[in-house]
Amino acid sequence: MHQAYIIAAAGRQDGQGSLAELDSMREQVTEAGLKLEHLVIDPMGAGWDTPIARNHFRSGCGPLEALAYAQTQLREGAFEAVFIEGSDAIKTGYSREERTSLMQVYGKDYPLTEAYTDLARYFCREQGMTFDDFRQLRDALFSNYQRSAPDTHLNPEWLEPQTELFRGVDCANPYTDYTGGLLLTRDDLLGSFDLTQPAIEVAGVGIGYAQGDGADYLDELASYWHLEKALHYANLQAEMEFAELFNSGDALLEAYTCYPVVPLALLLHGKFVDAWQAIPAWLAQHPLTLKGGMNLNRAPWNLPALRALIEMTQTLHHHPITMGGVHGNGGLGYKQGFAILRRNP
């Protein structure tokens, strides 16, 4: 059984950043005569309920699904190299009316903010917390993000409530243009490349699916059993307990932070904490994100987890810590993914 490695990762946002290293490594794949498989994360313009083409992935968990597929095929020797890419010009590529329409994934009468507010209500009931408890945790989460992104300047309007449980700052701001990609190969082919950075091993990827998505499945979605399943399989593959390593300061984390209920579920079902009452103290000690998460680092629609994988890979190239975890969340949470990346000695 082979191991999958990321050999190039790059992104470009709003005209900033370079994809040159990624392009250079793809040229090396071609020159080496290796078979390259191409996986695509769909942009918002592809729609939500339209048919998904072969080798295409959709939703906020799509990049983790693509990584899991790439890892499986590389481990089994079916592929020699895999390129995962995503591009979406949400700021400049759509009119305001188009953006509004495409974001109404549960219909115009049930916006995402209301859907996630309903999910948070079910989650509070599941965990035995009051709405005031939830709002206090919400604020503690955002303070945690701010510590990882100290130079962020906030529009005061973002601090105003959008629903009973969420402010503007608690939701991701996707109004940005972003293009990024990952290039992967197998351990036995690493010698075919002139690597400028250390190869990063995909140590484990777990994916979990609920039975359905939307308002009819809120009870099941709020239980987050499928998130627990995703974490379990990632840990099993990587032969570790990621939360234990993270809590001891031996790993980095990029949580999926759009709507507070999602990272709260990650902390509880990933066994980072034993109970929700322990979360404020935990958040005071541990960074949930590398650069402020989806709220402050911004993220485009289906691409936040792709950007997270790229930035985690780039961070692991030089960071004294050699392990990183990335979380992905699709729809109202019906798809969950967790990846463990590792820089080997």
Side-chain angles (χ1 to χ4, degrees):
M1 185 74 74
H2 297 288
Q3 291 299 115
Y5 280 83
I6 300 170
I7 56 172
R12 183 171 175 81
Q13 178 179 347
D14 294 336
Q16 301 297 312
S18 172
L19 303 176
E21 181 186 353
L22 198 59
D23 294 337
S24 173
M25 292 304 300
R26 289 180 68 188
E27 288 179 12
Q28 289 191 43
V29 170
T30 302
E31 291 170 359
L34 302 181
K35 178 186 175 183
L36 179 64
E37 191 75 3
H38 188 198
L39 308 181
V40 177
I41 312 304
D42 279 344
M44 184 173 69
W48 187 254
D49 296 318
T50 59
I52 301 177
R54 179 181 176 275
N55 283 359
H56 282 239
F57 299 83
R58 194 174 297 171
S59 89
C61 191
L64 273 297
E65 291 180 290
L67 185 68
Y69 178 67
Q71 183 210 37
T72 298
Q73 299 301 315
L74 288 166
R75 283 166 65 103
E76 294 177 355
F79 297 157
E80 294 176 314
V82 180
F83 179 51
I84 302 173
E85 73 165 335
S87 183
D88 209 347
I90 291 189
K91 183 164 72 173
T92 63
Y94 307 88
S95 68
R96 182 175 181 178
E97 292 74 21
E98 285 173 327
R99 279 197 302 263
T100 300
S101 176
L102 288 164
M103 288 180 181
Q104 294 171 343
V105 298
Y106 304 114
K108 63 181 180 179
D109 296 325
Y110 197 44
L112 280 167
T113 49
E114 290 299 332
Y116 265 99
T117 300
D118 286 345
L119 178 63
R121 292 188 182 107
Y122 275 74
F123 181 78
C124 288
R125 186 182 68 187
E126 178 89 12
Q127 296 296 330
M129 67 174 71
T130 67
F131 292 167
D132 281 340
D133 293 329
F134 183 90
R135 284 187 282 262
Q136 289 174 13
L137 293 176
R138 171 202 75 185
D139 294 348
L141 283 169
F142 188 69
S143 295
N144 185 284
Y145 310 153
Q146 284 184 301
R147 288 196 295 275
S148 298
D151 297 329
T152 301
H153 299 287
L154 293 177
N155 184 330
E157 292 181 3
W158 283 21
L159 295 169
E160 296 299 318
Q162 302 295 308
T163 74
E164 181 183 14
L165 298 178
F166 300 132
R167 304 162 299 170
V169 293
D170 301 314
C171 313
N173 174 9
Y175 298 115
T176 185
D177 295 349
Y178 185 79
T179 296
L182 297 166
L183 185 63
L184 298 94
T185 192
R186 306 189 314 233
D187 53 343
D188 62 319
L189 296 171
L190 288 174
S192 305
F193 303 95
D194 180 17
L195 299 177
T196 59
Q197 299 287 353
I200 302 299
E201 180 189 1
V202 182
V205 189
I207 305 292
Y209 301 104
Q211 296 181 73
D213 194 33
D216 293 339
Y217 296 90
L218 286 168
D219 210 0
E220 180 189 4
L221 295 173
S223 74
Y224 282 99
W225 66 269
H226 48 305
L227 171 56
E228 198 164 318
K229 178 181 175 182
L231 288 153
H232 171 73
Y233 282 118
N235 281 325
L236 200 62
Q237 278 186 16
E239 299 181 333
M240 68 178 69
E241 289 296 326
F242 182 84
E244 290 181 10
L245 285 170
F246 183 83
N247 285 350
S248 64
D250 295 317
L252 305 171
L253 180 62
E254 186 66 33
Y256 196 98
T257 62
C258 185
Y259 300 105
V261 64
V262 181
L264 292 177
L266 175 66
L267 293 180
L268 288 162
H269 290 274
K271 300 181 174 59
F272 293 88
V273 295
D274 294 326
W276 65 261
Q277 291 88 346
I279 290 177
W282 188 97
L283 288 172
Q285 298 179 28
H286 303 285
L288 264 174
T289 69
L290 296 174
K291 299 179 181 179
M294 297 167 62
N295 316 63
L296 297 176
N297 199 24
R298 296 201 297 166
W301 201 239
N302 290 334
L303 302 181
L306 179 65
R307 176 173 181 162
L309 289 166
I310 291 166
E311 293 189 344
M312 183 62 74
T313 298
Q314 293 172 334
T315 300
L316 291 175
H317 284 156
H318 57 78
H319 203 283
I321 293 174
T322 60
M323 192 89 58
V326 174
H327 177 212
N329 170 93
L332 200 52
Y334 78 115
K335 291 182 178 181
Q336 296 290 331
F338 195 81
I340 300 172
L341 306 183
R342 174 168 54 203
R343 185 184 79 239
N344 291 327

